[in-house]
Amino acid sequence: MGNRYGYVRVSTREQNEDRQMMAMNQVCVPERNIYMDKQSGKDFERPMYHRMVGRLKPDDLLYVKSIDRLGRNYEEILEQWRVLTKEKRIDIVVLDMPLLDTRRGKDLMGTFLSDIVLQVLSFVAENERENIRQRQKEGIEAAKMRGVRFGRPEAPLPENFAHVLRMWLSKEISGERAAELCHMSRTSFYRKAGKMRSAGNK
């Protein structure tokens, strides 16, 4: 019988690892063998995950609370599952899905059922990630249509801008000199000047 390990992952936006930690305690995973990453599950470039995998030995047992804690990328979850079970030769238990327990059903039918369940759940995890991304995109577009502005607000115009602009328009000074008087780059001055001229022509 090998060692017990637990893998916990939360995104930086949701600092609620307590539920996962409680689950690891309930299955008697030693605290020193619990590895936690606080980042997205879009890929497996996670420092604590790699550190844990480096320690795993044949016959060790790895617990995760749910398949989406392992990751959210369909193909990469399947690849990591293969690496862990075939190359590292460890067992994996997904606590929220009893069918995903590689200790059970080591025969052909058991492995077949486990593979089907894993592929379905991995697909669901990635699909949910894509749905979240699409909802965020739609929310941003809807906000823009309501007039909500994103990004850094523009700096206010200098007090002398209107006066300098008139001098530039009447060709009393060059664009370079106008930008210098306004303490702006030439690009910024021309952009602001263009906006003011467009507004004045409406």
Side-chain angles (χ1 to χ4, degrees):
M1 185 68 182
N3 294 314
R4 294 184 175 210
Y5 290 87
Y7 181 67
V8 172
R9 185 187 66 77
V10 293
S11 75
T12 54
R13 297 180 300 279
E14 47 169 16
Q15 304 295 327
N16 60 341
E17 70 269 17
D18 292 350
R19 188 172 65 92
Q20 295 178 70
M21 294 297 288
M22 286 175 59
M24 297 303 154
N25 291 331
Q26 288 171 0
V27 291
C28 302
V29 177
E31 190 171 337
R32 68 180 180 278
N33 287 352
I34 299 176
Y35 290 79
M36 179 171 65
D37 282 305
K38 291 190 176 184
Q39 65 186 83
S40 166
K42 66 180 180 179
D43 56 43
F44 281 86
E45 294 305 313
R46 307 177 218 140
M48 297 308 290
Y49 178 80
H50 284 290
R51 185 178 298 182
M52 177 191 71
V53 171
R55 286 189 60 191
L56 294 173
K57 300 288 188 298
D59 298 324
D60 283 344
L61 178 59
L62 172 63
Y63 287 97
V64 291
K65 184 75 170 72
S66 57
I67 196 68
D68 64 342
R69 297 303 88 197
L70 187 61
R72 288 187 178 275
N73 181 296
Y74 173 61
E75 292 182 356
E76 290 197 12
I77 291 173
L78 296 178
E79 174 60 15
Q80 287 300 312
W81 192 276
R82 184 195 66 78
V83 169
L84 294 171
T85 58
K86 306 294 191 235
E87 295 183 13
K88 287 289 185 177
R89 291 184 288 132
I90 69 162
D91 279 310
I92 307 175
V93 176
V94 179
L95 294 170
D96 283 355
M97 180 58 63
L99 280 173
L100 285 178
D101 182 344
T102 61
R103 297 172 302 177
R104 300 177 182 176
K106 295 284 188 180
D107 59 358
L108 185 62
M109 181 57 71
T111 302
F112 176 69
L113 288 174
S114 180
D115 284 349
I116 288 177
V117 173
L118 173 64
Q119 292 200 34
V120 170
L121 290 178
S122 299
F123 173 78
V124 169
E126 183 175 13
N127 195 52
E128 176 59 18
R129 179 169 158 258
E130 292 299 322
N131 287 340
I132 290 172
R133 184 181 297 166
Q134 182 62 29
R135 288 195 294 269
Q136 288 173 338
K137 180 182 177 183
E138 290 170 355
I140 291 172
E141 289 175 353
K144 285 181 177 177
M145 290 178 68
R146 295 196 306 271
V148 177
R149 300 187 66 176
F150 295 87
R152 190 170 57 187
E154 290 191 9
L157 289 173
E159 292 182 5
N160 66 340
F161 186 82
H163 175 65
V164 172
L165 178 61
R166 283 194 297 270
M167 293 173 64
W168 175 67
L169 290 173
S170 62
K171 298 187 176 6
E172 295 178 43
I173 58 175
S174 66
E176 185 175 1
R177 178 58 179 159
E180 185 180 316
L181 289 171
C182 292
H183 302 288
M184 302 167 71
S185 68
R186 273 187 292 177
T187 303
S188 295
F189 176 79
Y190 292 143
R191 188 178 71 250
K192 299 284 189 182
K195 283 185 177 180
M196 287 195 71
R197 294 178 72 180
S198 297
N201 291 331
K202 287 183 180 178

